[in-house]
Amino acid sequence: MEEQKTVLTAEGLKKYEDELEYLKVTKRREIAEAIKEARAQGDLSENAEYQAAKDEQRKMEARIEELEKILTNVEVVEDNDDNSGVIRLGSKVKIKDIEFDEVLEYRIVGSNEANTDAGQISNESPLGRALIGAKKGKTVEVQAPMGVIKYKVMEIIK
């Protein structure tokens, strides 16, 4: 069975690569130093600083492993500069919630990058799936627990 690719924007890829570099180079050194200092204090069985440093080391190594797994099977989506007028992964859009007459702005990203607080929604979310392939002026419908929500595509920014 083939592993599913992780879809990222170029921006998301850089963020993950930078985090991995920081953890491998800087954070590993900092934790190793903390462990060394805690060891120098003597009895390791009752040394809370040593245990805390070892716990932090385990968490960091797990995150490094997770990032390496993501980055080994990644598909980078280029910025939407094809001027086709169709929403796709990487597109930034303004949509209008028809019922509440509210304009929202989102960027469609891969699921690993999704962060609604930052205005980034996953291409796998119900709204993301509905928007992919839509053009300016089109109304899309999203099935929600409270019923169907309609959004009108006001603008495709990028």
Side-chain angles (χ1 to χ4, degrees):
M1 186 171 140
E2 189 178 320
E3 253 187 81
Q4 186 177 359
K5 289 198 178 290
T6 300
V7 179
L8 295 173
T9 60
E11 195 177 284
L13 176 64
K14 177 155 179 31
K15 182 182 126 206
Y16 282 135
E17 288 174 337
D18 289 349
E19 181 184 358
L20 182 61
E21 179 74 15
Y22 168 75
L23 291 175
K24 283 183 158 183
V25 176
T26 306
K27 195 67 175 172
R28 269 186 178 157
R29 191 176 327 113
E30 289 172 1
I31 292 174
E33 188 60 36
I35 290 171
K36 181 180 172 187
E37 288 175 17
R39 273 193 181 138
Q41 294 175 11
D43 185 9
L44 299 181
S45 65
E46 295 181 17
N47 188 328
E49 290 167 5
Y50 177 77
Q51 294 302 322
K54 291 298 281 183
D55 286 344
E56 187 176 357
Q57 183 182 43
R58 277 189 285 282
K59 289 176 188 172
M60 180 201 59
E61 292 300 333
R63 180 63 179 160
I64 288 172
E65 188 177 323
E66 178 184 8
L67 289 169
E68 287 176 336
K69 185 177 180 183
I70 289 169
L71 294 173
T72 56
N73 200 19
V74 70
E75 179 182 333
V76 180
V77 177
E78 300 301 321
D79 285 336
N80 190 8
D81 57 5
D82 65 2
N83 296 323
S84 68
V86 174
I87 298 172
R88 63 185 187 111
L89 205 77
S91 294
K92 193 170 187 179
V93 298
K94 278 189 183 177
I95 58 175
K96 182 178 183 178
D97 182 321
I98 295 173
E99 182 180 350
F100 293 104
D101 196 33
E102 180 182 9
V103 176
L104 307 165
E105 192 171 304
Y106 292 114
R107 182 161 187 226
I108 314 295
V109 296
S111 60
N112 284 49
E113 292 179 83
N115 178 348
T116 53
D117 292 338
Q120 297 182 310
I121 60 170
S122 167
N123 63 315
E124 297 173 11
S125 70
L127 179 56
R129 280 196 309 266
L131 289 171
I132 296 288
K135 293 184 175 194
K136 181 178 177 179
K138 181 176 181 186
T139 299
V140 298
E141 295 183 354
V142 178
Q143 184 63 47
M146 60 189 174
V148 175
I149 303 171
K150 294 181 181 181
Y151 297 95
K152 182 173 183 178
V153 177
M154 304 302 290
E155 184 179 355
I156 301 172
I157 300 166
K158 149 180 166 177

